[in-house]
Amino acid sequence: MIVLGYNGFTRGAELFGRLFGATGVDRNGLVGHDAAAALVVDGELVAAVEEERLSRVKKTSDFPERAIAWCLETAGLGLDDVDVFAFPWRFSEAVGEEMIAEIADGGLPVAAKFDALRRTGELYTGMLSPEAVHADFVERTGYALDPNRLALVPHHLAHLMCGAYLAGGGDAAFVVSDGRAEALSSVMGELRGGVVHLLDGTSVPMTSSLGVAYGRITRYLGFVPNNDEYKVMGLAAYGPPPRRNPLLDAVVRLRENGAYTIDIPRDPTAYYALFDRLFGCGGGSGAREEFDFRVKVAGMAQHMAETVTSHQVRALTAASGLDTLLFEGGLALNCVANTKMLERSSFTGMEVSFGASDPGVAIGAAVRTAGLRNRPADAVTTPYLGPSYDEAHIREALEEYGDRVTWQEEPDAASVTARTAELLAEKNVVGWFQGRAEFGPRALGNRSILANPAFPDIKDVINLRVKHREPFRPFAPVVLASEAPRVFEMGKKASSPYMTFVFPVREEYRSRIPGACHVDGTARIQTVDDRQNPPLAELLRAFTARTDVPCLLNTSFNVAGEPIVCSPRDALECFLTTEIDHLVIDRFVVTKKGH
């Protein structure tokens, strides 16, 4: 059976901009963001790519025309060969009725209710309804798809199925939490024998979304919601945990069964005024963006997220006798909260996939529709599912930029490893481009920027001269899975291949890898081994043998505001517009002319 999952709406940005006043990245940040496609053939996930990697529009919510075409082309298939197309949203008539009722029963004046119904009605009929989804596919592909070959999968179920499949299947308790699905923002329950059991009364409506609440604080601090929440998470580490959190006093109400309500106004003017009062800000936007104030508020936002998710897990623990916890959805990218959730719970294991946020719902919709409860027993769980480029493509790109770069062609993989380790032993920043592109926001290794964490100021070098981003941002180290417990306090985790957990750096290593330590002495690590990424594992061995440094700094190969590079040309463009010292692309070690 061949199933292609995809996520994205042609009219999303246009409708959210025109009907709801969304601008910039916000137009892509409500429904359908992180558009992607994924292909499952006879039970195996063979290809997946985010549309932004190909279109070069970050966080795009557009119909993933390029991603669908690439997935089929790489498998040698056409649209006729696909048995079912799976879409990770199901705005059924019942959901439509809920949307109408929410407006009708709300506290708006009558005229405002009619206006909200008009706008929501246009959004539903023009984009969200099953008929609109089918029409969008036909229009963008030019393919007369039989509606019976289009499966609509509820959004949270797609999240859950992505995590379950990539974790290898098996019974598990689960929490799914994000900004919004069709009508809910969070669900929890158990997955037993491939059957989903939701815990009664624990689902959280969209109006009390923890993800939306965190996003509103993100906007309040001058960042972009649904995009920059990780900045807030990073800032929180610069201050102590709050002794008193006014968010928990004023807007959050925890329920006994693990549910909760969060009461924050929708209108930015109203919630800015609320936050000014709660956080003690009387100086307007300038004061909100002062570093110390941002740290204080970020700490409260992070504490709120940790408190609410831990509350859910406590209730889930009491209701479930299972040992493993699956956590999926946008909130699962909060790696600081993830570690605390696991360590403070009775669960012995916790899995967060590399597709935990919305890129992964394309995978989840596909595997759900294919009827897969588990991945094949001998399959390697890998995020390296995207495009790769042969030597001819790489040479062509190098020749195109030949007036600006020089390169040395190494004879074999061993020589590439040795030369790269030699460069990284010094204070060089190296772009590392190998094999197939990664999928999702929490897996690197084939499109990475690497550096030596032994240099205390290397974070500043990369943040300011390469990534063009805020100096408070930390970097994640990549380490061999076999070495990780020696360098980091891993707690219940044996490995962490997708940078979805943080761990304290052992005291004896903090002075040896200062560039890999965040201000609080932790690191969001990525572990690798020979099965998952042989070239990177070999590079780590060679680098450690040369330097006695047990890990490398590992950040995404892009600059702020741009998608991670996908093609050789993308890599060369990024290399030439930053102060990256060297680019290692397949067997070619590239240097800027005059460097």
Side-chain angles (χ1 to χ4, degrees), residues 215-259:
R216 286 173 179 161
I217 297 171
T218 299
R219 185 192 298 280
Y220 174 78
L221 293 178
F223 302 124
V224 179
N226 209 23
N227 188 68
D228 291 345
E229 280 79 358
Y230 56 91
K231 297 181 184 180
V232 178
M233 180 183 70
L235 273 170
Y238 282 83
R243 294 182 179 178
R244 173 184 166 273
N245 191 341
L247 292 169
L248 299 181
D249 297 334
V251 302
V252 177
R253 296 288 182 271
L254 303 179
R255 308 302 182 193
E256 289 186 5
N257 61 355

Short mmCIF file of all heavy atoms in Angstrom, two decimals, residues 215-259:
data_model
loop_
_atom_site.label_atom_id
_atom_site.label_comp_id
_atom_site.label_asym_id
_atom_site.label_seq_id
_atom_site.Cartn_x
_atom_site.Cartn_y
_atom_site.Cartn_z
N GLY A 215 2.65 31.49 23.48
CA GLY A 215 2.89 32.31 22.30
C GLY A 215 2.54 33.77 22.54
O GLY A 215 3.21 34.67 22.01
N ARG A 216 1.49 34.05 23.30
CA ARG A 216 1.12 35.43 23.59
C ARG A 216 2.18 36.12 24.45
O ARG A 216 2.47 37.30 24.27
CB ARG A 216 -0.25 35.48 24.25
CG ARG A 216 -1.37 35.21 23.25
CD ARG A 216 -2.74 35.08 23.87
NE ARG A 216 -3.73 34.83 22.81
CZ ARG A 216 -4.94 34.34 23.00
NH1 ARG A 216 -5.32 34.01 24.23
NH2 ARG A 216 -5.76 34.15 21.99
N ILE A 217 2.78 35.38 25.36
CA ILE A 217 3.89 35.95 26.14
C ILE A 217 5.10 36.15 25.24
O ILE A 217 5.83 37.13 25.38
CB ILE A 217 4.21 35.05 27.34
CG1 ILE A 217 3.01 34.99 28.28
CG2 ILE A 217 5.44 35.55 28.09
CD1 ILE A 217 3.14 33.97 29.40
N THR A 218 5.30 35.24 24.31
CA THR A 218 6.39 35.39 23.34
C THR A 218 6.22 36.70 22.56
O THR A 218 7.18 37.48 22.40
CB THR A 218 6.39 34.20 22.37
OG1 THR A 218 6.60 32.99 23.11
CG2 THR A 218 7.48 34.34 21.32
N ARG A 219 5.01 36.98 22.09
CA ARG A 219 4.75 38.24 21.37
C ARG A 219 4.95 39.44 22.30
O ARG A 219 5.54 40.45 21.90
CB ARG A 219 3.33 38.25 20.82
CG ARG A 219 3.03 39.48 19.96
CD ARG A 219 1.54 39.62 19.67
NE ARG A 219 1.02 38.51 18.91
CZ ARG A 219 1.14 38.37 17.59
NH1 ARG A 219 1.78 39.28 16.90
NH2 ARG A 219 0.62 37.33 16.99
N TYR A 220 4.46 39.34 23.51
CA TYR A 220 4.57 40.43 24.49
C TYR A 220 6.02 40.84 24.70
O TYR A 220 6.33 42.02 24.88
CB TYR A 220 3.92 39.97 25.79
CG TYR A 220 4.06 40.90 26.96
CD1 TYR A 220 3.25 42.03 27.07
CD2 TYR A 220 4.96 40.63 27.98
CE1 TYR A 220 3.36 42.88 28.17
CE2 TYR A 220 5.08 41.47 29.08
CZ TYR A 220 4.29 42.59 29.16
OH TYR A 220 4.40 43.43 30.26
N LEU A 221 6.94 39.86 24.64
CA LEU A 221 8.36 40.14 24.86
C LEU A 221 9.07 40.61 23.59
O LEU A 221 10.29 40.81 23.60
CB LEU A 221 9.05 38.90 25.42
CG LEU A 221 8.63 38.49 26.83
CD1 LEU A 221 9.34 37.21 27.26
CD2 LEU A 221 8.89 39.60 27.83
N GLY A 222 8.32 40.80 22.51
CA GLY A 222 8.91 41.33 21.29
C GLY A 222 9.38 40.29 20.31
O GLY A 222 10.06 40.62 19.33
N PHE A 223 9.01 39.02 20.51
CA PHE A 223 9.38 37.94 19.61
C PHE A 223 8.17 37.54 18.75
O PHE A 223 7.08 38.09 18.90
CB PHE A 223 9.90 36.74 20.40
CG PHE A 223 11.09 37.04 21.28
CD1 PHE A 223 11.05 36.77 22.64
CD2 PHE A 223 12.24 37.59 20.74
CE1 PHE A 223 12.13 37.05 23.45
CE2 PHE A 223 13.34 37.87 21.55
CZ PHE A 223 13.28 37.60 22.90
N VAL A 224 8.37 36.57 17.88
CA VAL A 224 7.32 36.13 16.96
C VAL A 224 6.67 34.86 17.52
O VAL A 224 7.35 33.84 17.67
CB VAL A 224 7.89 35.85 15.56
CG1 VAL A 224 6.77 35.36 14.62
CG2 VAL A 224 8.54 37.10 14.99
N PRO A 225 5.38 34.89 17.82
CA PRO A 225 4.74 33.68 18.36
C PRO A 225 4.68 32.57 17.33
O PRO A 225 4.69 32.81 16.13
CB PRO A 225 3.33 34.18 18.72
CG PRO A 225 3.10 35.37 17.86
CD PRO A 225 4.44 36.01 17.68
N ASN A 226 4.63 31.34 17.84
CA ASN A 226 4.63 30.14 17.00
C ASN A 226 5.90 30.04 16.17
O ASN A 226 5.93 29.38 15.14
CB ASN A 226 3.39 30.08 16.10
CG ASN A 226 2.99 28.65 15.79
OD1 ASN A 226 3.32 27.74 16.54
ND2 ASN A 226 2.28 28.45 14.71
N ASN A 227 6.93 30.71 16.63
CA ASN A 227 8.22 30.68 15.92
C ASN A 227 9.38 30.84 16.88
O ASN A 227 10.39 30.16 16.75
CB ASN A 227 8.25 31.80 14.87
CG ASN A 227 9.45 31.74 13.97
OD1 ASN A 227 9.60 30.82 13.16
ND2 ASN A 227 10.36 32.70 14.12
N ASP A 228 9.24 31.75 17.87
CA ASP A 228 10.36 32.13 18.73
C ASP A 228 10.20 31.66 20.17
O ASP A 228 10.90 32.16 21.06
CB ASP A 228 10.52 33.65 18.73
CG ASP A 228 11.02 34.19 17.41
OD1 ASP A 228 11.49 33.39 16.59
OD2 ASP A 228 10.93 35.42 17.20
N GLU A 229 9.30 30.72 20.42
CA GLU A 229 9.10 30.28 21.81
C GLU A 229 10.38 29.71 22.42
O GLU A 229 10.60 29.81 23.64
CB GLU A 229 7.99 29.23 21.87
CG GLU A 229 6.59 29.81 21.83
CD GLU A 229 6.11 30.19 20.44
OE1 GLU A 229 6.90 30.05 19.48
OE2 GLU A 229 4.96 30.63 20.30
N TYR A 230 11.25 29.13 21.59
CA TYR A 230 12.50 28.58 22.11
C TYR A 230 13.41 29.68 22.65
O TYR A 230 14.25 29.42 23.52
CB TYR A 230 13.22 27.77 21.03
CG TYR A 230 13.50 28.53 19.76
CD1 TYR A 230 14.69 29.23 19.59
CD2 TYR A 230 12.57 28.58 18.73
CE1 TYR A 230 14.94 29.93 18.43
CE2 TYR A 230 12.81 29.27 17.57
CZ TYR A 230 14.00 29.96 17.42
OH TYR A 230 14.24 30.66 16.26
N LYS A 231 13.25 30.91 22.17
CA LYS A 231 14.02 32.03 22.73
C LYS A 231 13.58 32.30 24.16
O LYS A 231 14.40 32.57 25.04
CB LYS A 231 13.84 33.27 21.87
CG LYS A 231 14.36 33.16 20.45
CD LYS A 231 14.15 34.46 19.68
CE LYS A 231 14.58 34.32 18.23
NZ LYS A 231 14.40 35.58 17.47
N VAL A 232 12.28 32.25 24.38
CA VAL A 232 11.75 32.46 25.73
C VAL A 232 12.26 31.35 26.65
O VAL A 232 12.69 31.61 27.78
CB VAL A 232 10.21 32.50 25.71
CG1 VAL A 232 9.64 32.66 27.11
CG2 VAL A 232 9.72 33.64 24.81
N MET A 233 12.22 30.11 26.17
CA MET A 233 12.73 28.99 26.96
C MET A 233 14.19 29.19 27.31
O MET A 233 14.62 28.96 28.45
CB MET A 233 12.55 27.69 26.17
CG MET A 233 13.04 26.44 26.90
SD MET A 233 12.86 24.95 25.87
CE MET A 233 14.14 25.25 24.63
N GLY A 234 15.01 29.65 26.35
CA GLY A 234 16.42 29.88 26.60
C GLY A 234 16.66 31.02 27.57
O GLY A 234 17.56 30.95 28.42
N LEU A 235 15.87 32.08 27.46
CA LEU A 235 16.03 33.23 28.36
C LEU A 235 15.71 32.87 29.80
O LEU A 235 16.30 33.42 30.73
CB LEU A 235 15.10 34.36 27.92
CG LEU A 235 15.62 35.33 26.86
CD1 LEU A 235 14.48 36.21 26.37
CD2 LEU A 235 16.74 36.19 27.44
N ALA A 236 14.77 31.95 30.00
CA ALA A 236 14.35 31.60 31.36
C ALA A 236 15.51 31.11 32.21
O ALA A 236 15.51 31.29 33.43
CB ALA A 236 13.25 30.56 31.31
N ALA A 237 16.51 30.51 31.57
CA ALA A 237 17.64 29.95 32.32
C ALA A 237 18.54 31.02 32.92
O ALA A 237 19.36 30.71 33.79
CB ALA A 237 18.47 29.05 31.40
N TYR A 238 18.40 32.27 32.49
CA TYR A 238 19.26 33.34 33.00
C TYR A 238 18.83 33.84 34.37
O TYR A 238 19.52 34.69 34.97
CB TYR A 238 19.30 34.50 32.00
CG TYR A 238 20.20 34.25 30.83
CD1 TYR A 238 19.75 33.52 29.73
CD2 TYR A 238 21.52 34.71 30.81
CE1 TYR A 238 20.56 33.28 28.65
CE2 TYR A 238 22.35 34.47 29.73
CZ TYR A 238 21.86 33.75 28.65
OH TYR A 238 22.69 33.49 27.57
N GLY A 239 17.70 33.38 34.87
CA GLY A 239 17.25 33.81 36.19
C GLY A 239 16.78 32.62 37.01
O GLY A 239 16.57 31.52 36.49
N PRO A 240 16.62 32.81 38.31
CA PRO A 240 16.12 31.72 39.17
C PRO A 240 14.65 31.47 38.91
O PRO A 240 13.94 32.34 38.40
CB PRO A 240 16.36 32.25 40.58
CG PRO A 240 16.25 33.75 40.42
CD PRO A 240 16.84 34.06 39.07
N PRO A 241 14.15 30.28 39.24
CA PRO A 241 12.70 30.04 39.13
C PRO A 241 11.93 31.05 39.96
O PRO A 241 12.38 31.46 41.04
CB PRO A 241 12.55 28.61 39.69
CG PRO A 241 13.90 28.00 39.58
CD PRO A 241 14.88 29.12 39.76
N PRO A 242 10.78 31.47 39.49
CA PRO A 242 10.02 32.49 40.24
C PRO A 242 9.53 31.96 41.58
O PRO A 242 9.08 30.82 41.69
CB PRO A 242 8.85 32.83 39.32
CG PRO A 242 8.70 31.61 38.44
CD PRO A 242 10.08 31.07 38.26
N ARG A 243 9.65 32.78 42.61
CA ARG A 243 9.11 32.40 43.92
C ARG A 243 7.59 32.41 43.90
O ARG A 243 6.94 31.61 44.57
CB ARG A 243 9.64 33.35 44.99
CG ARG A 243 11.15 33.25 45.21
CD ARG A 243 11.58 34.20 46.32
NE ARG A 243 13.02 34.11 46.58
CZ ARG A 243 13.66 34.86 47.47
NH1 ARG A 243 13.00 35.75 48.20
NH2 ARG A 243 14.96 34.72 47.64
N ARG A 244 7.05 33.35 43.15
CA ARG A 244 5.60 33.45 43.00
C ARG A 244 5.32 33.74 41.53
O ARG A 244 5.96 34.60 40.93
CB ARG A 244 5.04 34.56 43.88
CG ARG A 244 3.56 34.85 43.65
CD ARG A 244 3.07 36.03 44.49
NE ARG A 244 1.76 36.49 44.00
CZ ARG A 244 1.61 37.38 43.02
NH1 ARG A 244 2.67 37.91 42.43
NH2 ARG A 244 0.40 37.75 42.63
N ASN A 245 4.38 33.03 40.97
CA ASN A 245 4.08 33.20 39.56
C ASN A 245 2.67 33.75 39.41
O ASN A 245 1.69 33.02 39.61
CB ASN A 245 4.21 31.87 38.81
CG ASN A 245 4.17 32.04 37.31
OD1 ASN A 245 3.70 33.05 36.80
ND2 ASN A 245 4.67 31.04 36.59
N PRO A 246 2.53 35.03 39.05
CA PRO A 246 1.19 35.61 38.95
C PRO A 246 0.34 34.95 37.86
O PRO A 246 -0.89 35.03 37.91
CB PRO A 246 1.46 37.08 38.62
CG PRO A 246 2.84 37.11 38.05
CD PRO A 246 3.59 36.02 38.76
N LEU A 247 0.98 34.30 36.88
CA LEU A 247 0.20 33.60 35.85
C LEU A 247 -0.62 32.48 36.48
O LEU A 247 -1.78 32.25 36.12
CB LEU A 247 1.13 33.04 34.78
CG LEU A 247 1.83 34.06 33.89
CD1 LEU A 247 2.93 33.38 33.07
CD2 LEU A 247 0.83 34.76 32.97
N LEU A 248 -0.01 31.77 37.41
CA LEU A 248 -0.71 30.66 38.06
C LEU A 248 -1.79 31.16 39.01
O LEU A 248 -2.78 30.46 39.27
CB LEU A 248 0.28 29.77 38.80
CG LEU A 248 1.36 29.10 37.94
CD1 LEU A 248 2.25 28.22 38.81
CD2 LEU A 248 0.74 28.29 36.82
N ASP A 249 -1.61 32.36 39.51
CA ASP A 249 -2.62 32.94 40.41
C ASP A 249 -3.81 33.52 39.64
O ASP A 249 -4.96 33.40 40.08
CB ASP A 249 -1.99 34.05 41.26
CG ASP A 249 -0.90 33.54 42.19
OD1 ASP A 249 -0.96 32.34 42.54
OD2 ASP A 249 0.01 34.31 42.53
N ALA A 250 -3.52 34.13 38.47
CA ALA A 250 -4.53 34.96 37.82
C ALA A 250 -5.18 34.32 36.60
O ALA A 250 -6.35 34.61 36.32
CB ALA A 250 -3.91 36.30 37.42
N VAL A 251 -4.46 33.50 35.84
CA VAL A 251 -5.03 33.06 34.56
C VAL A 251 -5.12 31.55 34.42
O VAL A 251 -5.87 31.05 33.57
CB VAL A 251 -4.23 33.63 33.36
CG1 VAL A 251 -4.22 35.15 33.41
CG2 VAL A 251 -2.81 33.09 33.29
N VAL A 252 -4.38 30.78 35.21
CA VAL A 252 -4.37 29.31 35.08
C VAL A 252 -5.16 28.68 36.22
O VAL A 252 -4.99 29.06 37.39
CB VAL A 252 -2.92 28.76 35.09
CG1 VAL A 252 -2.93 27.24 35.02
CG2 VAL A 252 -2.11 29.34 33.93
N ARG A 253 -6.02 27.73 35.86
CA ARG A 253 -6.75 26.96 36.87
C ARG A 253 -6.55 25.48 36.56
O ARG A 253 -6.92 24.99 35.49
CB ARG A 253 -8.26 27.29 36.81
CG ARG A 253 -8.58 28.72 37.17
CD ARG A 253 -8.40 29.00 38.66
NE ARG A 253 -8.78 30.38 38.98
CZ ARG A 253 -7.95 31.42 38.95
NH1 ARG A 253 -6.67 31.22 38.61
NH2 ARG A 253 -8.36 32.63 39.26
N LEU A 254 -5.94 24.76 37.48
CA LEU A 254 -5.70 23.33 37.32
C LEU A 254 -6.88 22.54 37.85
O LEU A 254 -7.36 22.82 38.96
CB LEU A 254 -4.42 22.93 38.05
CG LEU A 254 -3.14 23.67 37.65
CD1 LEU A 254 -1.96 23.18 38.47
CD2 LEU A 254 -2.86 23.53 36.16
N ARG A 255 -7.35 21.55 37.08
CA ARG A 255 -8.48 20.71 37.48
C ARG A 255 -7.96 19.38 38.02
O ARG A 255 -6.87 18.92 37.65
CB ARG A 255 -9.40 20.47 36.30
CG ARG A 255 -9.87 21.74 35.58
CD ARG A 255 -10.58 22.69 36.51
NE ARG A 255 -11.05 23.88 35.80
CZ ARG A 255 -11.48 24.98 36.40
NH1 ARG A 255 -11.50 25.05 37.72
NH2 ARG A 255 -11.89 26.01 35.69
N GLU A 256 -8.75 18.73 38.85
CA GLU A 256 -8.28 17.52 39.54
C GLU A 256 -7.92 16.40 38.58
O GLU A 256 -7.03 15.60 38.85
CB GLU A 256 -9.35 17.04 40.53
CG GLU A 256 -9.51 17.92 41.74
CD GLU A 256 -10.47 17.32 42.75
OE1 GLU A 256 -10.93 16.18 42.50
OE2 GLU A 256 -10.77 17.98 43.77
N ASN A 257 -8.60 16.30 37.45
CA ASN A 257 -8.38 15.16 36.55
C ASN A 257 -7.24 15.37 35.56
O ASN A 257 -7.05 14.56 34.66
CB ASN A 257 -9.67 14.87 35.77
CG ASN A 257 -10.10 16.05 34.91
OD1 ASN A 257 -9.49 17.11 34.96
ND2 ASN A 257 -11.14 15.84 34.12
N GLY A 258 -6.49 16.46 35.68
CA GLY A 258 -5.40 16.73 34.77
C GLY A 258 -5.72 17.78 33.73
O GLY A 258 -4.82 18.24 33.03
N ALA A 259 -6.99 18.16 33.62
CA ALA A 259 -7.36 19.23 32.70
C ALA A 259 -7.03 20.58 33.35
O ALA A 259 -6.62 20.67 34.51
CB ALA A 259 -8.84 19.15 32.34
#
